[in-house]
Amino acid sequence: MTTAGAGKGGNPGVEEPGAEGHDGEGHPGEGLRARKRAAARAVIERAAIDLVLERGYDRVTVDMICAAGMVSPRTFFNYFGSKEGVFLGPPPADATEAVARAFRADSAAPVVFALAKAVFSALFEGQPDAELARARMQVVMGTPELLSKQNEWMAVHENQLVNLVVTRYRDQLRTEPAAELAAEARMAVGLALAVVRVVLQESEPEDDGGWPGAAAMDRSRELLEKIFAR
Amino acid sequence: MTTAGAGKGGNPGVEEPGAEGHDGEGHPGEGLRARKRAAARAVIERAAIDLVLERGYDRVTVDMICAAGMVSPRTFFNYFGSKEGVFLGPPPADATEAVARAFRADSAAPVVFALAKAVFSALFEGQPDAELARARMQVVMGTPELLSKQNEWMAVHENQLVNLVVTRYRDQLRTEPAAELAAEARMAVGLALAVVRVVLQESEPEDDGGWPGAAAMDRSRELLEKIFAR
DNA sequence: TACCAAAGGTGCACTCCCTGCAAACTTGCA
DNA sequence: TGCAAGTTTGCAGGGAGTGCACCTTTGGTA
């Protein structure tokens, strides 16, 4: 959605065939239709990731992925909406809610870290296949274009995150004028996303397998304090 | 550089005709050749910006810009390398050096703010025509795709910025192991870029005319302190 | 002043991403 | 078994971006 096409406008144009979004495998009793879809999806994703891992993002064409995944290009676009889509997973719509949930769940941590953690868990949750998730990560981290899209992803939802934070401020009975709170919230969100980006880049793909969890987060916290201590 | 083309790889492929980069108007005594180039460049940029302001980014095609700017599409790409290029200005290569200079120049301010300020000045410096610069800004801010590219721009050069910061740490006679310093620097850069992004978004296009200078920066500083005070 | 080599601009053909549309094919179900 | 809804696919086409060969303009020179 960056370049071609006449009347585009963004991921919204991706009207996935079935109803329930992006499952990893297709729950057993969901009808042949749904299972087939999920399977096809999985095959294509796998093919795409392997291909890119092997040849690099821009030496892989959509046609290649389709050949390997045994679908027509048209179907590919029906599923993922764009070449990037197959690597970045479903567009934010679904994910934002997850972030909100995670954020509200832990009201103890300082805003910035609670937020960062929430974004993280949203980024990694609902991915049943750890190996696949890691491979995907590796691809995204290693491809500036995709990384950039990831960030865009975050940027698009900055507003919702800001609202989330403002709400928390309100819950903390803070009484500054709305504009003040919003400004502070915006900055907090910016910082949180920065933390996410940094941690994401720190963590090498050949890690222990899990995703950068509390450990990395604590470390980044130390760093922040150090930076601001002077 | 996001979508099309076979063997691309990035802005690098933009081999501008002349030598000296992107002047706004062409210094009087530079030879007819250079002056013409600069003039053509200016005309195209102006046309592009006006067009987008009027119709929105993705309702403007490169062909339209070329028609308005009176050059062939091929020439357009020779000049700017991509549709985005005409709005984002010259790719980082030139700009990074400017950031480095600005950063080194003020060693008094805390790292994060010195860095943010430096990026700002690099972003806006060397643009003789304030009105044009503002219009460009307006376009970029109002177009997610372009905004995302801006960020990519920053991301690509994060490493160089990190080195810059590490060097400063060294100058401050800090003795932590290299890895430590690098990690801290990376985080600092991340924060600085976050500040830049936030300030950029805060400042509305219909501002007083200048670019978000020290004022906004000071404000963001207050915010940061507030956020970390708890 | 006429001429020439280099620099720059263009047209052309082609690759690639992506979309709308309608035909063909599957599946779920009565 | 038959049909309606759900899916896949082919086709045609638009828009970005590139390599290449050719033509025009400049800058300088004899």
Side-chain angles (χ1 to χ4, degrees), chain B residues 174-228:
Chain B
R174 294 182 55 176
T175 55
E176 290 99 322
E180 277 291 308
L181 284 186
E184 186 177 328
R186 218 183 317 281
M187 183 64 80
V189 170
L191 294 185
L193 293 185
V195 170
V196 170
R197 271 189 272 270
V198 171
V199 171
L200 234 37
Q201 272 170 15
E202 293 285 90
S203 67
E204 288 124 37
E206 55 259 340
D207 256 33
D208 53 357
W211 49 276
M217 203 97 315
D218 286 347
R219 185 164 149 54
S220 68
R221 190 163 171 177
E222 278 172 35
L223 280 181
L224 275 187
E225 270 157 19
K226 208 163 168 189
I227 290 173
F228 281 99

Side-chain angles (χ1 to χ4, degrees), chain B residues 27-40:
Chain B
H27 310 229
E30 282 279 349
L32 178 56
R33 225 159 180 124
R35 258 176 300 149
K36 266 199 173 178
R37 244 186 295 117

Side-chain angles (χ1 to χ4, degrees), chain A residues 74-191:
Chain A
R74 196 61 188 75
T75 299
F76 176 92
F77 284 108
N78 281 343
Y79 271 72
F80 305 101
S82 72
K83 184 181 176 185
E84 287 134 8
V86 73
F87 303 105
L88 297 182
D94 300 5
T96 303
E97 186 45 39
V99 175
R101 233 180 304 117
F103 179 69
R104 279 193 283 261
D106 116 84
S107 58
V111 175
V112 172
F113 298 100
L115 209 50
K117 234 182 254 182
V119 171
F120 258 109
S121 66
L123 226 45
F124 289 85
E125 108 179 349
Q127 308 226 89
D129 182 346
E131 195 284 327
L132 206 246
R134 196 161 56 172
R136 192 204 303 283
M137 202 63 207
Q138 197 178 335
V139 167
V140 173
M141 292 286 95
T143 310
E145 275 137 297
L146 293 179
L147 204 47
S148 164
K149 282 293 166 186
Q150 274 274 36
N151 292 342
E152 191 177 344
W153 177 100
M154 303 203 231
V156 168
H157 290 263
E158 214 160 289
N159 284 330
Q160 304 185 39
L161 297 184
V162 168
N163 286 336
L164 224 49
V165 173
V166 169
T167 301
R168 168 162 303 189
Y169 284 162
R170 280 274 144 64
D171 289 352
Q172 292 172 345
L173 302 176
R174 294 184 55 178
T175 55
E176 291 98 322
E180 276 292 307
L181 283 188
E184 186 178 327
R186 220 184 314 282
M187 182 64 79
V189 170
L191 294 186

